[in-house]
Amino acid sequence: MISVLIPTRDRPGPLHRALRSVARQTYRHFEVIVVRDGGHTVEPVIDRWQREIPIRLLESDTPNGVSHARNRAIAAAQGDHVALLDDDDVFLPHHLQAAADALRTRRVDAVYGQALVSPTWIEDLPRDRGHLPCKDYAFDPAFLSVANTIHTGSVVTRNPAGSPVRFDETLDHCEDWDFLLALRAAGHRFARLDTITSVYHQVPVPGAVHTAYQSTPTPFTRARTLLYDRWPAATGRAEEYRDWFRRFDQRLDTLIANGRGVPPHVYEHAVRELHATFTDRRSPDRDLLGRLLPLTPAAPSRHDGGAFAFRPAVTHAVR
């Protein structure tokens, strides 16, 4: 059995869509555990789906953070495996079946599907998705020690309840990356599924990432520093790439401190380009940092009204 773990707070509409995506699964041997981490009641949403899928609701009136919510769900999960799903993302109908098949036939402990990234609310693959980016990175344990390439809502892993691996409740950012590194350190074998199995919603509303870029050092800088100290680089080349990200964080924090805006999705642009050179066994492009985070604003054009223009060469954009 697979236990689907969904933390939620004050997003009844997205939670409804997330549960509908679970109800549409072709694989039926699952349970759903929803954890309300503070905020308003979700009982009307749960009641809507209770007759169609097995749901348990764990509630807390005090917000304790997404890591605490996920850990509560892990402790309650009865499945052999757990599937992670944020309340604003959705599974495609074959997600759990593809994961179950791979876990059975490929002799691995954790799998992750490819995730389509959408700036609008969708529940199926659009007919024309060429313009939408996809988190589709092949698994590379060395690069995982540099940056996270796996979408949380695409992961199905052996239930860690019998191990010490949990989400770090002291982390407000990068807790999912830390969890994956902990699973890897505990000996979990990973595999990527061959198809897109989930949708990662990036609807353009102010959220945690936008807020994080309002002060320096950013929470991402602090979290990355902590994780680099906690988890050794897998290889010498991984350490070289970590040095690049340290310079990236320093440059980004300097720009924010000087009142400069952060280019949209700049971190993911960096990951996309660096993953390619890492896979080719090359050193990081020494000009990439300047292209992604120029020290001087781009020259204004007659089309942008004089605003800071950021036009990266790549189009992959996720938070």
Side-chain angles (χ1 to χ4, degrees):
M1 186 170 71
I2 297 175
S3 298
V4 180
L5 315 182
I6 309 177
T8 190
R9 185 197 303 166
D10 287 338
R11 291 199 285 206
L15 175 62
H16 174 77
R17 286 187 287 267
L19 290 173
R20 179 159 55 203
S21 78
V22 179
R24 295 169 62 196
Q25 292 301 295
T26 58
Y27 185 87
R28 304 307 298 176
H29 194 34
F30 64 80
E31 65 169 356
V32 182
I33 301 175
V34 175
V35 183
R36 179 175 69 84
D37 182 43
H40 296 92
T41 181
V42 295
E43 288 185 358
V45 181
I46 301 300
D47 290 345
R48 163 63 183 83
W49 293 105
Q50 192 79 61
R51 295 183 296 275
E52 298 188 36
I53 54 178
I55 305 177
R56 280 186 288 159
L57 174 62
L58 308 179
E59 299 194 81
S60 173
D61 291 329
T62 302
N64 295 295
V66 67
S67 291
H68 179 81
R70 289 186 182 129
N71 286 340
R72 283 191 69 191
I74 289 172
Q78 298 178 3
D80 306 291
H81 294 83
V82 296
L84 305 177
L85 180 61
D86 287 346
D87 62 1
D88 58 344
D89 296 326
V90 297
F91 293 156
L92 297 177
H94 62 293
H95 174 70
L96 294 183
Q97 185 67 65
D101 290 345
L103 288 164
R104 183 180 65 253
T105 62
R106 298 173 69 172
R107 298 184 180 181
V108 293
D109 307 289
V111 297
Y112 62 97
Q114 300 172 45
L116 189 72
V117 184
S118 175
T120 59
W121 299 112
I122 62 173
E123 298 181 56
D124 294 291
L125 289 180
R127 182 174 302 176
D128 178 14
R129 60 178 186 268
H131 64 292
L132 294 177
C134 183
K135 287 186 75 76
D136 56 359
Y137 300 96
F139 183 69
D140 186 330
F143 194 78
L144 187 65
S145 73
V146 176
N148 187 14
T149 55
I150 300 174
H151 169 48
T152 309
S154 70
V155 174
V156 181
T157 181
R158 179 161 47 87
N159 192 335
S163 77
V165 176
R166 293 294 186 277
F167 286 89
D168 185 342
E169 297 181 18
T170 69
L171 290 175
D172 296 321
H173 296 78
C174 301
E175 77 289 334
D176 51 347
W177 182 20
D178 179 73
F179 179 72
L180 295 174
L181 290 170
L183 289 178
R184 179 66 185 171
H188 274 50
R189 298 157 297 178
F190 283 74
R192 186 196 68 176
L193 302 178
D194 296 329
T195 61
I196 297 173
T197 66
S198 65
V199 176
Y200 183 16
H201 283 119
Q202 286 298 295
V203 179
V205 295
V209 175
H210 174 81
T211 302
Y213 285 141
Q214 302 303 304
S215 61
T216 60
T218 72
F220 294 110
T221 296
R222 295 195 298 268
R224 193 157 26 247
T225 299
L226 186 151
L227 295 192
Y228 282 177
D229 289 342
R230 175 178 294 175
W231 305 107
T235 63
R237 189 155 47 89
E239 183 59 41
E240 180 185 13
Y241 275 70
R242 282 185 170 191
D243 284 340
W244 189 95
F245 272 110
R246 292 185 182 102
R247 294 192 298 273
F248 171 91
D249 286 333
Q250 184 180 35
R251 174 79 65 93
L252 187 65
D253 286 336
T254 298
L255 293 176
I256 294 172
N258 290 333
R260 288 276 300 281
V262 177
H265 313 299
V266 64
Y267 173 72
E268 279 294 337
H269 289 308
V271 171
R272 176 62 63 176
E273 295 213 15
L274 289 176
H275 183 269
T277 55
F278 190 91
T279 302
D280 288 342
R281 301 183 179 277
R282 292 183 280 139
S283 293
D285 180 352
R286 53 184 186 176
D287 297 325
L288 177 61
L289 185 59
R291 294 200 304 271
L292 294 178
L293 294 173
L295 289 174
T296 57
S301 76
R302 58 190 180 130
H303 301 292
D304 61 23
F308 173 68
F310 176 69
R311 301 182 180 87
V314 292
T315 57
H316 185 71
V318 298
R319 70 181 168 220

